[in-house]
Amino acid sequence: MLKKYKNYIRVTKKFPYIRFQKRKRASLVLVEELGKICNTEGEKLLYHQLRAKMYYPTPHYWIENICANLALVPYKLALIELRPGLNEKKIVRQLKKRGWRVLFYDTDQLLENEQLYVNQVLQQAPTQTKNVSTSS
C-alpha cells in the first residue's frame, strides 16, 4: 500500500515532516488565429514570424498581474515590449518565481531585423519533435 502513495508523499526534515505533493496540471492552449488582437506592428510581425515557425503565441496573456505582449504558454516564455518606465528586474523576478522566462524586445529593432528576435525565441523554446513511425 505504501508503494501506491510513494509518488505523492515527500518526507522532509522540517515540520511538517510528511508533505503531500500537488500534481501540476498540463497547460492547455487552444490554437486559434489571434493575429488581429495584436495592437502594434512589432507584435503583429513577431506573431506572424512565430506562426510561420509553427509556434502558437498568445497575444496579451496575463501572468498574475503582468501582461505579456506575446506568450508561448507551453514553453512558459513571455515576450514583453520595452517601454519607458518599465521595471525589467521586477518583472523578471516575479515571472521567474512562477517558472516563466522573459524576453524583452524593442519595437524599432524588431522592425529592422525580425530574425534576431525570432532566433532568440527559437533558442529559448526549442521544438520537440516526436518520432512517430508506423513501420510494421
Side-chain angles (χ1 to χ4, degrees), residues 49 104 124 136:
Q49 288 290 330
F104 293 99
Q124 293 290 323
S136 300

Side-chain angles (χ1 to χ4, degrees), residues 7-55:
N7 295 332
Y8 306 109
I9 296 176
R10 186 173 57 134
V11 179
T12 63
K13 294 180 180 180
K14 295 181 180 179
F15 185 79
Y17 300 108
I18 298 175
R19 297 181 185 191
F20 294 101
Q21 293 180 349
K22 296 179 181 177
R23 283 190 173 189
K24 293 184 179 181
R25 294 183 178 209
S27 59
L28 177 66
V29 178
L30 297 176
V31 177
E32 49 186 273
E33 180 60 40
L34 299 172
K36 56 188 171 283
I37 297 176
C38 297
N39 295 335
T40 63
E41 288 298 319
E43 283 181 22
K44 289 178 185 177
L45 181 65
L46 196 56
Y47 179 85
H48 290 296
Q49 288 290 330
L50 290 174
R51 284 298 301 260
K53 299 283 186 185
M54 298 303 293
Y55 287 96

Side-chain angles (χ1 to χ4, degrees), residues 51-130:
R51 284 298 301 260
K53 299 283 186 185
M54 298 303 293
Y55 287 96
Y56 299 101
T58 306
H60 306 287
Y61 187 77
W62 284 91
I63 308 160
E64 295 296 321
N65 60 349
I66 298 170
C67 182
N69 294 81
L70 292 172
L72 294 171
V73 178
Y75 301 103
K76 289 196 170 188
L77 180 64
L79 301 163
I80 299 176
E81 181 180 358
L82 285 173
R83 294 183 300 268
L86 187 69
N87 192 348
E88 297 174 27
K89 290 181 182 179
K90 181 180 176 183
I91 291 172
V92 169
R93 192 175 342 114
Q94 287 179 346
L95 293 181
K96 193 173 185 180
K97 285 180 186 177
R98 288 155 183 79
W100 283 75
R101 290 171 288 161
V102 183
L103 284 177
F104 293 99
Y105 66 92
D106 185 24
T107 306
D108 297 331
Q109 289 180 357
L110 178 65
L111 294 174
E112 292 174 10
N113 186 9
E114 71 269 358
Q115 287 300 322
L116 175 71
Y117 289 105
V118 172
N119 290 336
Q120 285 181 357
V121 171
L122 294 177
Q123 289 175 356
Q124 293 290 323
T127 57
Q128 298 175 355
T129 58
K130 292 183 180 179

